[in-house]
Amino acid sequence: MHDYVVQRFRQASYDPRAKWRNDPRRQTALRRAAHEKLCLLQRANEGYIRPLEKVLRLSYGRKGRKRRELLTAMLIPELPTDHSAVENMIQKPAMFEDGWMPPSIMMDLLRSQRHSGVGGQLNIRQIKELAPVIPTENSWGKPLSASRRARIRKKWYYKALENLLPPLPDAELRILDGLISKTVPWSPPKKRKPVGVRSEPAPSLDATFLTDGPQKDPTFRKYINGRPHTITRRFMERMWRRISNLVPRMTIMIMAFSKDLMKTAK
Protein backbone atom coordinates (compact mmCIF):
# COMPACT_ATOMS: atom_id res chain seq x y z
CA MET A 1 0.00 0.00 0.00
CA HIS A 2 2.97 2.30 0.63
CA ASP A 3 4.17 1.81 -2.94
CA TYR A 4 0.63 2.28 -4.23
CA VAL A 5 0.55 5.78 -2.73
CA VAL A 6 4.17 6.93 -2.88
CA GLN A 7 5.25 5.58 -6.26
CA ARG A 8 2.25 7.08 -8.04
CA PHE A 9 3.15 10.47 -6.62
CA ARG A 10 6.82 10.15 -7.54
CA GLN A 11 6.08 9.01 -11.06
CA ALA A 12 3.89 12.05 -11.60
CA SER A 13 6.18 14.54 -9.86
CA TYR A 14 9.40 13.45 -11.58
CA ASP A 15 7.91 13.01 -15.02
CA PRO A 16 10.15 14.90 -17.47
CA ARG A 17 7.20 15.43 -19.79
CA ALA A 18 5.75 18.50 -18.11
CA LYS A 19 3.05 19.34 -20.64
CA TRP A 20 0.25 18.15 -18.36
CA ARG A 21 1.43 20.39 -15.51
CA ASN A 22 -0.28 23.41 -17.08
CA ASP A 23 -3.38 21.48 -18.12
CA PRO A 24 -6.25 22.47 -15.78
CA ARG A 25 -8.28 19.37 -16.65
CA ARG A 26 -5.37 17.11 -15.81
CA GLN A 27 -4.72 18.95 -12.56
CA THR A 28 -8.39 18.72 -11.60
CA ALA A 29 -8.47 14.98 -12.31
CA LEU A 30 -5.28 14.41 -10.29
CA ARG A 31 -6.61 16.41 -7.37
CA ARG A 32 -9.90 14.49 -7.42
CA ALA A 33 -8.08 11.14 -7.50
CA ALA A 34 -5.79 12.20 -4.64
CA HIS A 35 -8.75 13.37 -2.59
CA GLU A 36 -10.56 10.06 -3.14
CA LYS A 37 -7.52 8.05 -2.05
CA LEU A 38 -7.07 10.28 0.99
CA CYS A 39 -10.69 9.79 2.03
CA LEU A 40 -10.29 6.04 1.50
CA LEU A 41 -7.28 5.88 3.83
CA GLN A 42 -8.93 8.11 6.42
CA ARG A 43 -12.07 5.99 6.56
CA ALA A 44 -10.00 2.80 6.67
CA ASN A 45 -8.04 4.16 9.65
CA GLU A 46 -11.31 5.04 11.35
CA GLY A 47 -12.41 1.40 11.15
CA TYR A 48 -15.00 1.45 8.37
CA ILE A 49 -15.24 -2.10 7.05
CA ARG A 50 -15.59 -1.48 3.31
CA PRO A 51 -12.70 1.01 2.96
CA LEU A 52 -10.48 -1.12 5.19
CA GLU A 53 -11.22 -4.25 3.18
CA LYS A 54 -10.49 -2.37 -0.03
CA VAL A 55 -7.12 -1.28 1.34
CA LEU A 56 -6.34 -4.87 2.34
CA ARG A 57 -7.33 -6.16 -1.09
CA LEU A 58 -5.05 -3.62 -2.71
CA SER A 59 -2.23 -4.59 -0.34
CA TYR A 60 -2.55 -8.34 -0.89
CA GLY A 61 -3.08 -8.21 -4.65
CA ARG A 62 -6.78 -9.04 -4.74
CA LYS A 63 -7.44 -5.98 -6.90
CA GLY A 64 -5.63 -3.08 -8.46
CA ARG A 65 -2.13 -2.82 -9.86
CA LYS A 66 -0.55 -5.52 -7.70
CA ARG A 67 -3.11 -8.09 -8.87
CA ARG A 68 -2.25 -7.30 -12.49
CA GLU A 69 1.47 -7.60 -11.75
CA LEU A 70 0.98 -11.01 -10.11
CA LEU A 71 -1.08 -12.20 -13.07
CA THR A 72 1.52 -10.96 -15.55
CA ALA A 73 4.33 -12.74 -13.72
CA MET A 74 2.26 -15.92 -13.48
CA LEU A 75 1.30 -16.04 -17.17
CA ILE A 76 4.78 -15.44 -18.61
CA PRO A 77 5.41 -18.31 -21.06
CA GLU A 78 8.34 -20.59 -20.45
CA LEU A 79 11.34 -20.06 -22.71
CA PRO A 80 12.32 -23.03 -24.89
CA THR A 81 15.46 -24.81 -23.77
CA ASP A 82 16.43 -26.69 -26.93
CA HIS A 83 15.83 -26.80 -30.68
CA SER A 84 12.89 -29.21 -30.51
CA ALA A 85 11.12 -26.98 -27.99
CA VAL A 86 11.57 -24.02 -30.32
CA GLU A 87 10.07 -25.99 -33.21
CA ASN A 88 7.09 -27.03 -31.08
CA MET A 89 6.50 -23.42 -30.11
CA ILE A 90 6.61 -22.31 -33.74
CA GLN A 91 4.15 -25.01 -34.78
CA LYS A 92 1.61 -24.00 -32.14
CA PRO A 93 -1.30 -21.84 -33.36
CA ALA A 94 -1.18 -18.12 -32.75
CA MET A 95 -2.94 -16.59 -29.78
CA PHE A 96 -6.76 -16.75 -30.03
CA GLU A 97 -6.61 -18.66 -33.32
CA ASP A 98 -8.24 -22.05 -33.91
CA GLY A 99 -6.50 -24.70 -31.81
CA TRP A 100 -5.18 -22.20 -29.26
CA MET A 101 -5.54 -23.12 -25.60
CA PRO A 102 -5.16 -20.78 -22.60
CA PRO A 103 -2.34 -21.47 -20.12
CA SER A 104 -2.93 -24.49 -17.92
CA ILE A 105 -2.25 -22.55 -14.71
CA MET A 106 -4.95 -20.08 -15.68
CA MET A 107 -7.46 -22.88 -16.20
CA ASP A 108 -6.54 -24.43 -12.83
CA LEU A 109 -7.16 -21.10 -11.11
CA LEU A 110 -10.47 -20.68 -12.92
CA ARG A 111 -11.62 -24.11 -11.76
CA SER A 112 -10.57 -23.55 -8.16
CA GLN A 113 -12.15 -20.11 -8.02
CA ARG A 114 -15.36 -21.44 -9.52
CA HIS A 115 -15.62 -24.40 -7.12
CA SER A 116 -14.65 -22.46 -3.99
CA GLY A 117 -17.88 -20.43 -3.91
CA VAL A 118 -16.32 -17.79 -1.68
CA GLY A 119 -16.21 -15.05 -4.29
CA GLY A 120 -19.98 -14.64 -4.37
CA GLN A 121 -20.08 -14.06 -0.62
CA LEU A 122 -17.31 -11.44 -0.79
CA ASN A 123 -18.67 -9.50 -3.78
CA ILE A 124 -16.32 -11.09 -6.32
CA ARG A 125 -17.79 -11.66 -9.76
CA GLN A 126 -18.18 -15.35 -10.47
CA ILE A 127 -16.68 -16.91 -13.58
CA LYS A 128 -19.42 -18.79 -15.40
CA GLU A 129 -17.74 -20.31 -18.45
CA LEU A 130 -14.44 -22.17 -18.39
CA ALA A 131 -14.25 -21.87 -22.18
CA PRO A 132 -15.56 -19.36 -24.72
CA VAL A 133 -18.97 -20.15 -26.18
CA ILE A 134 -18.48 -20.01 -29.96
CA PRO A 135 -21.57 -20.54 -32.13
CA THR A 136 -21.22 -22.60 -35.27
CA GLU A 137 -23.26 -20.20 -37.42
CA ASN A 138 -23.84 -16.47 -37.52
CA SER A 139 -27.19 -14.69 -37.67
CA TRP A 140 -27.39 -15.30 -41.45
CA GLY A 141 -26.97 -19.05 -41.05
CA LYS A 142 -23.44 -19.08 -42.45
CA PRO A 143 -20.34 -20.57 -40.77
CA LEU A 144 -18.64 -18.23 -38.36
CA SER A 145 -15.50 -16.63 -39.76
CA ALA A 146 -12.08 -17.28 -38.24
CA SER A 147 -11.63 -13.63 -37.25
CA ARG A 148 -14.96 -13.65 -35.42
CA ARG A 149 -14.00 -16.82 -33.53
CA ALA A 150 -10.68 -15.22 -32.56
CA ARG A 151 -12.45 -12.10 -31.25
CA ILE A 152 -14.78 -14.25 -29.13
CA ARG A 153 -11.81 -16.07 -27.61
CA LYS A 154 -10.02 -12.77 -26.98
CA LYS A 155 -13.05 -11.25 -25.27
CA TRP A 156 -13.49 -14.32 -23.05
CA TYR A 157 -9.78 -14.41 -22.19
CA TYR A 158 -9.52 -10.81 -20.99
CA LYS A 159 -12.86 -10.99 -19.19
CA ALA A 160 -11.62 -14.05 -17.31
CA LEU A 161 -8.39 -12.24 -16.42
CA GLU A 162 -10.38 -9.35 -14.94
CA ASN A 163 -12.03 -11.72 -12.45
CA LEU A 164 -9.05 -14.00 -11.80
CA LEU A 165 -7.40 -13.96 -8.38
CA PRO A 166 -3.72 -14.97 -8.56
CA PRO A 167 -1.88 -16.78 -5.76
CA LEU A 168 0.24 -14.79 -3.35
CA PRO A 169 4.02 -15.14 -3.07
CA ASP A 170 5.09 -17.56 -0.35
CA ALA A 171 6.54 -14.84 1.90
CA GLU A 172 3.36 -12.75 1.88
CA LEU A 173 1.18 -15.83 2.31
CA ARG A 174 3.16 -16.88 5.39
CA ILE A 175 2.73 -13.42 6.88
CA LEU A 176 -1.02 -13.48 6.23
CA ASP A 177 -1.40 -16.95 7.75
CA GLY A 178 0.77 -15.89 10.68
CA LEU A 179 -1.39 -12.86 11.36
CA ILE A 180 -4.49 -15.06 11.43
CA SER A 181 -2.89 -17.71 13.66
CA LYS A 182 -1.30 -15.05 15.94
CA THR A 183 2.23 -16.28 15.29
CA VAL A 184 3.18 -12.96 13.69
CA PRO A 185 3.14 -10.03 16.13
CA TRP A 186 0.83 -7.15 15.37
CA SER A 187 -0.16 -4.05 17.29
CA PRO A 188 -3.02 -1.67 16.50
CA PRO A 189 -2.08 1.69 14.99
CA LYS A 190 -1.72 4.62 17.34
CA LYS A 191 -4.05 7.50 16.76
CA ARG A 192 -2.27 10.73 15.96
CA LYS A 193 -3.73 14.16 16.42
CA PRO A 194 -3.55 16.58 13.49
CA VAL A 195 -0.81 19.17 13.84
CA GLY A 196 -1.65 22.85 13.64
CA VAL A 197 -5.42 22.41 14.01
CA ARG A 198 -7.05 24.13 16.94
CA SER A 199 -10.58 23.37 17.98
CA GLU A 200 -12.19 26.63 19.00
CA PRO A 201 -15.51 26.52 20.84
CA ALA A 202 -18.40 27.62 18.69
CA PRO A 203 -20.19 30.71 19.96
CA SER A 204 -23.70 30.17 21.24
CA LEU A 205 -25.04 33.11 19.25
CA ASP A 206 -23.80 33.83 15.76
CA ALA A 207 -25.16 35.32 12.55
CA THR A 208 -26.49 31.95 11.31
CA PHE A 209 -28.42 31.34 14.50
CA LEU A 210 -29.90 34.83 14.46
CA THR A 211 -30.95 34.66 10.80
CA ASP A 212 -31.89 30.97 10.28
CA GLY A 213 -32.77 29.92 13.79
CA PRO A 214 -31.59 26.74 15.54
CA GLN A 215 -30.06 24.08 13.31
CA LYS A 216 -30.86 20.38 13.21
CA ASP A 217 -28.96 18.11 15.58
CA PRO A 218 -26.45 15.59 14.19
CA THR A 219 -28.11 12.70 12.38
CA PHE A 220 -27.04 9.21 11.28
CA ARG A 221 -26.54 10.29 7.67
CA LYS A 222 -22.78 9.72 7.76
CA TYR A 223 -23.34 6.13 8.94
CA ILE A 224 -25.43 5.09 5.93
CA ASN A 225 -22.54 3.14 4.37
CA GLY A 226 -21.26 1.67 7.62
CA ARG A 227 -20.07 2.57 11.07
CA PRO A 228 -16.54 3.03 12.37
CA HIS A 229 -15.02 0.28 14.48
CA THR A 230 -12.22 0.23 16.98
CA ILE A 231 -9.30 -1.47 15.24
CA THR A 232 -8.33 -4.35 17.50
CA ARG A 233 -6.61 -7.66 16.82
CA ARG A 234 -9.89 -9.52 16.92
CA PHE A 235 -11.43 -7.13 14.41
CA MET A 236 -8.42 -7.41 12.09
CA GLU A 237 -8.43 -11.21 12.28
CA ARG A 238 -11.88 -11.23 10.72
CA MET A 239 -10.65 -8.94 7.97
CA TRP A 240 -7.54 -11.06 7.35
CA ARG A 241 -9.68 -14.20 7.10
CA ARG A 242 -11.82 -12.55 4.43
CA ILE A 243 -8.68 -11.75 2.44
CA SER A 244 -7.29 -15.25 3.03
CA ASN A 245 -10.46 -16.77 1.57
CA LEU A 246 -9.67 -14.96 -1.69
CA VAL A 247 -6.19 -16.47 -1.98
CA PRO A 248 -6.10 -19.73 -3.99
CA ARG A 249 -4.35 -22.64 -2.31
CA MET A 250 -2.84 -25.73 -3.86
CA THR A 251 -5.26 -28.08 -2.07
CA ILE A 252 -8.28 -26.21 -3.41
CA MET A 253 -6.88 -26.32 -6.94
CA ILE A 254 -6.33 -30.09 -6.70
CA MET A 255 -9.87 -30.66 -5.40
CA ALA A 256 -11.34 -28.57 -8.21
CA PHE A 257 -9.32 -30.47 -10.80
CA SER A 258 -10.43 -33.84 -9.39
CA LYS A 259 -14.08 -32.76 -9.46
CA ASP A 260 -13.79 -31.83 -13.12
CA LEU A 261 -12.18 -35.18 -13.89
CA MET A 262 -15.03 -37.00 -12.16
CA LYS A 263 -17.59 -35.04 -14.18
CA THR A 264 -15.86 -35.81 -17.45
CA ALA A 265 -15.59 -39.50 -16.51
CA LYS A 266 -19.33 -39.68 -15.90
Side-chain angles (χ1 to χ4, degrees):
M1 195 62 196
H2 178 269
D3 293 340
Y4 180 78
V5 176
V6 175
Q7 295 300 330
R8 288 186 63 194
F9 170 76
R10 289 179 177 174
Q11 289 175 3
S13 60
Y14 296 109
D15 191 355
R17 299 170 298 178
K19 295 181 180 180
W20 57 268
R21 295 180 185 273
N22 298 325
D23 187 1
R25 295 184 179 179
R26 175 66 173 170
Q27 293 292 334
T28 304
L30 289 174
R31 187 183 184 280
R32 186 184 298 112
H35 182 70
E36 290 177 357
K37 298 300 183 295
L38 177 61
C39 293
L40 173 67
L41 294 176
Q42 287 177 344
R43 291 176 67 84
N45 287 325
E46 292 173 0
Y48 286 89
I49 292 180
R50 289 184 180 178
L52 181 57
E53 184 175 350
K54 184 175 181 180
V55 171
L56 290 176
R57 290 189 183 188
L58 289 170
S59 302
Y60 286 97
R62 302 304 91 190
K63 66 184 304 182
R65 179 179 177 180
K66 186 173 182 180
R67 186 191 72 89
R68 294 190 294 269
E69 291 177 352
L70 292 175
L71 281 176
T72 303
M74 182 186 68
L75 297 176
I76 293 178
E78 297 181 359
L79 296 177
T81 56
D82 52 7
H83 182 70
S84 60
V86 174
E87 290 183 351
N88 293 332
M89 180 177 291
I90 295 175
Q91 293 175 359
K92 288 183 179 180
M95 195 171 184
F96 308 130
E97 297 296 334
D98 293 339
W100 169 82
M101 294 296 293
S104 58
I105 187 172
M106 175 182 173
M107 298 305 300
D108 294 339
L109 284 175
L110 287 175
R111 294 189 190 96
S112 64
Q113 189 170 333
R114 184 181 181 184
H115 288 286
S116 63
V118 181
Q121 302 175 6
L122 300 180
N123 297 326
I124 299 295
R125 186 177 298 176
Q126 294 292 330
I127 299 173
K128 298 181 180 179
E129 296 89 7
L130 294 178
V133 180
I134 302 177
T136 56
E137 297 179 351
N138 56 17
S139 56
W140 288 278
K142 296 182 180 180
L144 211 64
S145 62
S147 59
R148 176 59 178 159
R149 293 195 298 268
R151 287 196 298 270
I152 293 175
R153 294 189 190 97
K154 182 178 180 180
K155 182 178 180 181
W156 170 85
Y157 178 78
Y158 287 109
K159 186 177 180 180
L161 285 184
E162 290 178 359
N163 304 322
L164 194 62
L165 299 175
L168 273 177
D170 294 338
E172 297 184 14
L173 186 58
R174 285 195 296 268
I175 293 175
L176 181 60
D177 292 339
L179 290 172
I180 297 174
S181 60
K182 299 182 181 180
T183 57
V184 174
W186 180 86
S187 58
K190 297 181 180 179
K191 292 186 177 181
R192 295 179 295 178
K193 296 182 179 180
V195 180
V197 179
R198 297 180 180 179
S199 58
E200 298 180 356
S204 57
L205 294 177
D206 54 2
T208 305
F209 180 81
L210 295 176
T211 56
D212 300 336
Q215 300 297 316
K216 184 169 60 174
D217 291 336
T219 62
F220 292 94
R221 181 178 179 84
K222 61 180 180 180
Y223 300 133
I224 292 177
N225 296 324
R227 292 174 174 269
H229 294 75
T230 303
I231 299 180
T232 60
R233 175 118 201 176
R234 182 180 179 183
F235 173 72
M236 288 303 301
E237 284 178 6
R238 294 200 302 267
M239 304 299 296
W240 290 326
R241 286 193 182 94
R242 290 173 65 89
I243 300 301
S244 179
N245 290 333
L246 298 177
V247 179
R249 312 297 174 105
M250 186 60 65
T251 55
I252 300 176
M253 294 173 63
I254 294 174
M255 290 175 60
F257 183 71
S258 61
K259 287 182 180 179
D260 288 342
L261 287 179
M262 292 175 63
K263 288 182 180 179
T264 54
K266 291 180 180 179

